[in-house]
Amino acid sequence: MKGISKVIFIAIFLISTIATAQSDLLQSGPMVGYSTMKEVLLWAQTTKPAKVHFVYWDVEVPNTKLKTAQLTTQKENAYVARLIADVLEPGKQYNYELYINNKKVQRPYELKFETQALWQWRTDAPDFSFATGSCAYISEEKYDRPGQPYGGDYQIFEDIYKKKPQFFLWLGDNVYLREADWHSVSGINYRYTHTRSNPEMQAMLGSMHHYAIWDDHDYGPNDSDRSYHLKKETLKTFKNFFGNPNYIFDEGTSGFFQWADCDFFLLDNRYWRTPNNRSDIDEHDVLGQEQIEWMLDALANSHAPFKFIIMGGQFINPMKRFEKHENVAPKERYEIINAIEKLQIEGVVFITGDVHHTELSKLDRDGSYPLYDLTVSPLTSGVAGYDAEENPTQVDGTLVKERSYAKINVTGPRKDRSLTIKVYNSNGEEKWEYIINENALKFKTEKKGH
């Protein structure tokens, strides 16, 4: 018996050693990227060159396991693996496993993803939920400014995981590039890697889908614009570390995705932005004309009850302060609002970040429906010290001056969909709730041409 016990002990020891070795090869993730009816992006980052693949299966058919392609991670792309699970059926729940060098990596939480449902011409659109927020600063003393750490309350990511949204929408400043990072590819990759490796973030990364825009701090220096000399490099890194399904232009991060019956327009407010100090230019750009034209084309072609316009800086707030759209590019702001009215585009809701407080803005318009702007900030960076009550479009009771995130539920039958917004602080305590019905975002007169 003693001999048998010794053999069992050795076997357990070897299995434990192998598992530890594989975990040591995992830098961050795995993470789930975009979801469609037929494919899902899976992501992981290793600590050095390694072979990576995923195994996945329909939770209802656990004995039928499928496998992605295998690739070897490389230093030039920060040892990131991006692989597609493409033997999928619509409307299914899947579990998955990560393999590094053909050995399974154990994670202390469930790894899962889902495909979007094929509901069109069959049923009402499915209900769904997503969470969102901006400004995720992960402190690192040797590279941070001296004094009190700027980042904190990382348990917010654990609470988002517990709330179980189907996807998370990153609203920019998802990474804070520091002075040591701005001028080299190595620095940019280092900072993205450091942020993505935050321990409290890992379960959230591996169990829900992720989409993202960027803002100045994950694009370049504070308040950066089209002049930033390494913008093509940060663009490569952004695309490497996030899992958006598409990019509309060869440059910039503009994109689009659909979840159930709702459309999401992901805008880039940095790549084409006019420098603030170009006083010789009368009208400054935040988005640029080409991006605006694409957005208006896509909005005009959308039949979604809610059309979410996602961008880094506040859009509705009319205060001429900091990097609000009205302060930087008022003509561009007016052009967009006027076009929504002229084209009679219904159901538009803005979701923004940047300002280090959370609030809901509502712009009432004569003869038209109100335009809402849900601003959610910050996740883990510092909270704004200025007077945020100055916003004349702020909905009473929605100002939150602490670290927070929002969870949004889209529910209800066809032609009567509702948007329920709940904001939580970093400890998961609900701060406020607000409901918007799709019929409140329609024109009072019949749409022209319909």
Side-chain angles (χ1 to χ4, degrees), residues 20-309:
T20 300
Q22 298 316 114
S23 295
D24 288 345
L25 286 172
L26 179 63
Q27 176 68 46
S28 65
M31 180 183 77
V32 186
Y34 68 83
S35 169
T36 70
M37 295 182 195
K38 297 293 289 182
E39 69 178 39
V40 165
L41 174 68
L42 299 174
W43 183 100
Q45 184 184 28
T46 61
T47 58
K48 59 184 179 181
K51 295 178 181 178
V52 175
H53 75 272
F54 294 91
V55 170
Y56 58 98
W57 61 93
D58 183 336
V59 297
E60 296 177 348
V61 193
N63 294 325
T64 304
K65 293 194 174 182
L66 303 159
K67 183 179 175 180
T68 67
Q70 184 179 83
L71 63 75
T72 300
T73 59
Q74 302 291 338
K75 181 178 180 180
E76 53 264 31
N77 72 337
Y79 304 118
V80 163
R82 297 165 54 89
L83 292 160
I84 305 297
D86 57 1
V87 185
L88 304 173
E89 290 297 324
K92 296 287 186 177
Q93 303 286 326
Y94 291 83
N95 284 124
Y96 70 96
E97 296 167 336
L98 168 65
Y99 285 76
I100 299 179
N101 290 339
N102 295 312
K103 303 294 184 182
K104 185 171 73 172
V105 180
Q106 299 287 352
R107 305 306 288 152
Y109 43 84
E110 183 182 19
L111 299 177
K112 61 181 181 178
F113 64 82
E114 66 181 277
T115 51
Q116 294 201 43
L118 178 59
W119 58 271
Q120 293 88 342
W121 308 103
R122 292 161 176 82
T123 64
D124 286 339
D127 297 342
F128 70 94
S129 68
F130 66 97
T132 190
S134 68
C135 304
Y137 191 102
I138 309 301
S139 294
E140 188 180 19
E141 184 177 1
K142 66 178 179 178
Y143 292 119
D144 293 346
R145 297 178 184 180
Q148 183 177 351
Y150 192 59
D153 288 333
Y154 305 132
Q155 75 276 5
I156 194 170
F157 299 124
E158 296 173 322
D159 193 70
I160 294 169
Y161 168 70
K162 292 174 184 176
K163 294 291 194 302
K164 298 188 182 303
Q166 287 160 279
F167 64 91
F168 190 85
L169 179 56
W170 297 85
L171 297 176
D173 295 341
N174 318 309
V175 173
Y176 275 71
L177 296 170
R178 323 287 211 261
E179 289 84 352
D181 310 322
W182 292 337
H183 304 293
S184 69
V185 174
S186 298
I188 294 164
N189 282 331
Y190 176 86
R191 184 56 51 204
Y192 269 74
T193 297
H194 176 261
T195 298
R196 185 58 57 83
S197 303
N198 171 259
E200 290 87 348
M201 195 186 293
Q202 300 310 302
M204 168 184 160
L205 294 174
S207 64
M208 66 188 71
H209 297 267
H210 292 266
Y211 300 86
I213 60 169
W214 66 5
D215 204 358
D216 50 344
H217 292 292
D218 34 5
Y219 167 81
N222 183 47
D223 294 350
S224 47
D225 51 55
R226 68 191 183 200
S227 68
Y228 176 50
H229 57 286
L230 285 186
K231 65 180 183 179
K232 291 186 178 181
E233 300 304 329
T234 50
L235 178 60
K236 290 178 184 176
T237 305
F238 176 91
K239 290 181 176 181
N240 194 30
F241 273 78
F242 284 101
N244 291 352
N246 55 67
Y247 296 95
I248 303 301
F249 307 107
D250 292 337
E251 297 186 288
T253 60
S254 314
F256 169 88
F257 74 95
Q258 187 176 77
W259 199 285
D261 56 342
C262 293
D263 290 344
F264 293 78
F265 304 85
L266 307 176
L267 302 187
D268 186 327
N269 68 338
R270 292 294 161 184
Y271 207 88
W272 300 284
R273 191 185 192 100
T274 307
N276 291 338
N277 293 329
R278 284 297 303 272
S279 57
D280 59 317
I281 300 175
D282 292 333
E283 300 296 340
H284 285 203
D285 291 332
V286 168
L287 302 173
Q289 200 59 43
E290 186 177 13
Q291 184 175 203
I292 291 174
E293 286 301 317
W294 164 74
M295 178 188 69
L296 293 175
D297 284 349
L299 284 169
N301 194 47
S302 171
H303 299 287
F306 296 110
K307 304 170 181 66
F308 296 103
I309 299 178

